Amino acid sequence: QVQLVESGGGLVQPGGSLRLSCAASGNIFSILAMGWYRQAPGNERDLVAAISTGDSTVYADSVKGRFTISRDTAQNTVYLQMSSLKPEDTAVYFCKVMGPGYENWGQGTQVTVSS
């Protein structure tokens, strides 16, 4: 199994930037992909971006061109660089790790975009 610790959320003004981090520990060699999801109050948890161990990426249409997912294999960390943030990006952001036969979630980090 793989454990996740997220960091980097907070309050930012519209148009601002934030970087989220997700550090993995445990059986990291089993990881196939990692991703970021978000959930606003009353909404489902939706995919924001994901990256595979082969560095293939996928993004939600709503964040394309504004968010970038990347990974640092030496640090076992995945990042979500968020720019041009909008109020509708406000949500709890969760990191997810996927491997053969398992998927684990982080505890979530709040991102609030407001003036």
Side-chain angles (χ1 to χ4, degrees), residues 75-96:
Q75 299 294 325
N76 303 316
T77 300
V78 169
Y79 302 98
L80 184 68
Q81 178 66 48
M82 305 184 293
S83 303
S84 302
L85 283 160
K86 305 174 181 180
E88 51 264 43
D89 294 317
T90 296
V92 178
Y93 284 68
F94 296 90
C95 182
K96 178 181 175 181

Side-chain angles (χ1 to χ4, degrees), residues 96-111:
K96 178 181 175 181
V97 61
M98 293 151 277
Y102 74 87
E103 57 183 41
N104 289 341
W105 294 90
Q107 78 281 5
T109 185
Q110 176 71 45
V111 172

